[in-house]
């Protein structure tokens, strides 16, 4: 099993990256949290923890910026009805510490803010993860390793431009966290109109405006 990869960062998008390892390009599904924390394309010696998921007719690789994120991914996909895509959606919405807080405080309402998770699924995820956390003290310890749950919410838009672009990105199906991260740095590059800011954000998310 491939548990980690180190190579040159060949591509970076919101949900996938490509690592060139000795001339072989490995495409990995990633959370928005991991994607946003990666260095610029072309950077060498980039390391990601990985998990291989084998399904009928497909073998997929997923990358994580930390062991804790990978561990929570493993817990999530072990829940009936939760596949890698939904697990990454959860991890794109919450950092490991924030997710631990959500589970420990039994906050199903906040869990339901994850794209693709309704009220019933949120309650079931809280219940299933709660059982896992109860059996593993190290998982409960994640709650003190990061910001409180409230910090996982996106920061308020700093201007009407940010607000308009954020609304547009949310309507396209991006998560709040993806949208906020995509807007970072837009003032520094002079993307001060809604059109320019939206194009800038979409390029960062791997789409053409």
């Amino acid at each position: 099993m491939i548990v980690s990869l180190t190579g040159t960062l060949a591509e970076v998008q919101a949900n996938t990256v490509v690592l060139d390892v000795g001339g072989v390009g490995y495409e990995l599904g990633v959370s928005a949290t991991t994607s946003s924390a990666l260095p610029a394309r072309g950077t060498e010696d980039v390391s990601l923890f990985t998990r291989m998921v084998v399904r009928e007719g497909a073998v997929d690789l997923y990358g994580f910026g930390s062991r804790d994120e990978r561990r929570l991914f493993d817990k999530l996909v072990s829940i009936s009805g939760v596949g890698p895509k939904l697990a990454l959606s959860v991890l794109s919405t919450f950092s490991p510490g924030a997710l631990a807080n959500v589970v420990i405080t039994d906050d199903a309402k906040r869990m339901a803010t994850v794209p693709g998770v309704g009220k019933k699924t949120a309650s079931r995820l809280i219940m299933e993860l709660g059982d896992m956390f109860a059996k593993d003290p190290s998982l409960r310890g994640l709650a003190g390793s990061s910001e409180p749950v409230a910090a996982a919410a996106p920061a308020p838009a700093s201007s009407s431009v940010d607000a308009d672009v954020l609304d547009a990105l949310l309507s396209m199906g991006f998560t709040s966290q993806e949208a906020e991260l995509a807007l970072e740095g837009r003032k520094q590059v002079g993307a001060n109109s809604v059109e320019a800011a939206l194009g800038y954000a979409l390029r960062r998310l791997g789409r053409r405006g």
Side-chain angles (χ1 to χ4, degrees):
M1 178 178 290
I2 301 173
V3 296
S4 66
L5 288 171
T6 298
T8 300
L9 197 57
E11 294 181 21
V12 184
Q13 297 189 34
N15 300 310
T16 60
V17 301
V18 174
L19 272 183
D20 185 326
V21 182
V24 178
Y26 291 87
E27 184 178 71
L28 301 97
V30 295
S31 69
T33 302
T34 289
S35 177
S36 66
L38 289 171
R41 177 180 175 181
T43 302
E44 299 178 352
D45 295 325
V46 175
S47 296
L48 287 174
F49 299 99
T50 61
R51 183 63 74 222
M52 179 184 294
V53 176
V54 180
R55 297 177 292 171
E56 185 176 353
V59 178
D60 298 314
L61 274 174
Y62 297 91
F64 310 93
S66 69
R67 287 188 176 88
D68 288 334
E69 188 184 36
R70 183 178 63 185
R71 188 153 58 120
L72 288 171
F73 175 85
D74 290 341
K75 298 298 183 184
L76 285 162
V77 296
S78 72
I79 298 172
S80 176
V82 178
K85 183 177 180 180
L86 183 55
L88 288 182
S89 185
V90 173
L91 295 170
S92 291
T93 305
F94 303 114
S95 68
L99 179 57
N101 273 293
V102 168
V103 174
I104 291 170
T105 58
D106 197 24
D107 195 345
K109 182 177 180 180
R110 187 155 183 79
M111 182 66 81
T113 64
V114 176
V117 174
K119 291 182 179 179
K120 289 185 178 180
T121 301
S123 296
R124 186 167 64 87
L125 288 176
I126 290 289
M127 180 182 68
E128 299 256 13
L129 288 172
D131 289 342
M132 296 176 189
F133 275 53
K135 297 174 182 176
D136 189 341
S138 65
L139 288 174
R140 296 196 300 274
L142 292 176
S145 66
S146 183
E147 71 277 6
V149 176
S158 60
S159 69
S160 60
V161 170
D162 289 327
D164 289 344
V165 175
L166 180 60
D167 287 342
L169 293 173
L170 291 175
S171 72
M172 294 177 189
F174 293 106
T175 67
S176 295
Q177 185 176 24
E178 287 174 329
E180 289 286 342
L181 291 170
L183 282 169
E184 288 183 357
R186 64 102 180 159
K187 292 181 180 179
Q188 286 83 341
V189 300
N192 296 319
S193 68
V194 172
E195 293 78 10
L198 180 58
Y200 169 80
L202 288 173
R203 286 192 294 274
R204 293 197 71 193
L205 288 164
R207 294 187 180 182
R208 294 187 180 275

